[in-house]
Amino acid sequence: MRSIADLSTILNRILDTAADNLRIAKILVQMGLDPNNITYDALFDRLLEIVLANITLANLFALVGAVFLVATLLMQRMVPLRVANMVGCAFFAISGALSESVATFLLYLLLLPVNAVRLGQLLRLVKKARNAMQGDMSMEWLKPFMTERRYRHGDRLFRKGDPATEMFLTVTGKFLVKETGVEFPPGRLMGELGFLTPNNRRTATVECIEDGQVLTITYERLLEIYFQSNQQFGYYILILTSQRLLENNRRLQENISRLESTLAQE
């Protein structure tokens, strides 16, 4: 009971002190004004004096840096966001140096190389995405972002209707789509349709029919690459999925034609 009483006493003291410090009269005294003789002219003149007294080169650099850092909160694309962040950090670092604030100077100085490294990674990713868009639709550029996984004969990669969370790129071995009988040799993409289907569900069952290796990448990582590569990667994925849908449609038409021919012969 005593500890509760002590805590209540401490809280009351904190509230009383806060209320006292936030009294209008005390704030006016701290601003150098007479609480008993306040006029709009006196208040305006005092605020103007405070503003003019703080117009220094260090504060101007800090103001420009703040503008750039606030601008990053309004940006949707990662590359200009990183550039604006670097500019803001540079201005804050200069401000810290001019105001002799070692903590501020070191903090924003250390943030500069961190943002520079991330910017370099983003620019390389954008370049690879653009090259892939203009080239032969190779998935080579995506491999550094993927994880290796091995399967043995008879292993099931995924089943139709299962939740889809990742995409596969075959490296070695062979894989069979059970519903269509299509085999995937090395160098083929699997599981990309689940990225676009409602609720991210698998559209077919795939099994390993020859021991092999695949590379996987999660849909979350794909979305990250999509937003970081200036949305061009989304166009790349749409082309790949469109090709897969066209291939599936062609096979369906061929199966229908064979079935019609068989029925006609009978």
Side-chain angles (χ1 to χ4, degrees), residues 96-260:
L98 293 175
S99 61
E100 299 181 355
S101 175
V102 178
T104 301
F105 174 73
L106 291 179
L107 172 62
Y108 290 100
L109 186 66
L110 291 174
L111 286 175
L112 276 173
V114 173
N115 282 284
V117 171
R118 289 294 292 148
L119 177 62
Q121 293 173 343
L122 291 174
L123 291 176
R124 287 192 293 272
L125 178 59
V126 171
K127 182 178 179 180
K128 290 178 180 179
R130 287 175 177 171
N131 290 339
M133 228 70 63
Q134 300 170 358
D136 59 357
M137 306 303 292
S138 170
M139 296 294 292
E140 291 294 325
W141 67 276
L142 194 58
K143 288 183 178 180
F145 305 97
M146 306 182 84
T147 304
E148 179 183 339
R149 190 179 298 167
R150 295 185 178 275
Y151 289 96
R152 294 185 178 275
H153 176 76
D155 289 345
R156 181 181 292 112
L157 279 71
F158 49 82
R159 188 193 302 270
K160 183 178 180 179
D162 286 347
T165 60
E166 57 188 353
M167 188 172 69
F168 301 79
L169 178 65
T170 59
V171 179
T172 60
K174 289 184 180 179
F175 303 86
L176 176 68
V177 181
K178 299 289 289 185
E179 287 76 7
T180 61
V182 175
E183 294 185 6
F184 284 112
R188 293 297 299 273
L189 197 65
M190 301 185 299
E192 79 282 3
L193 292 180
F195 184 54
L196 302 175
T197 56
N199 301 321
N200 295 120
R201 294 285 175 176
R202 295 297 185 192
T203 59
T205 301
V206 175
E207 290 184 355
C208 178
I209 58 175
E210 181 182 298
D211 294 0
Q213 172 191 355
V214 301
L215 295 176
T216 68
I217 184 170
T218 64
Y219 292 160
E220 291 182 359
R221 189 72 175 103
L222 285 176
L223 285 173
E224 182 181 346
I225 295 173
Y226 165 70
F227 286 111
Q228 291 180 353
S229 63
N230 202 17
Q231 285 76 51
Q232 296 192 48
F233 177 69
Y235 177 69
Y236 179 78
I237 290 294
L238 285 176
I239 291 178
L240 291 175
T241 52
S242 298
Q243 290 177 345
R244 179 61 51 79
L245 291 173
L246 290 173
E247 290 176 1
N248 292 342
N249 182 65
R250 177 178 55 80
R251 294 190 189 96
L252 179 60
Q253 293 296 330
E254 291 176 353
N255 292 335
I256 292 175
S257 298
R258 284 195 294 267
L259 180 59
E260 290 177 346

Side-chain angles (χ1 to χ4, degrees), residues 1 8 33 67 151 196:
M1 294 296 293
S8 177
L33 297 170
V67 170
Y151 289 96
L196 302 175

Side-chain angles (χ1 to χ4, degrees), residues 34-57:
D34 183 3
N36 298 318
N37 185 24
I38 291 296
T39 63
Y40 287 111
D41 290 339
L43 182 61
F44 177 79
D45 290 341
R46 182 54 183 160
L47 291 175
L48 182 60
E49 289 176 6
I50 294 174
V51 171
L52 294 176
N54 284 278
I55 296 180
T56 63
L57 189 59

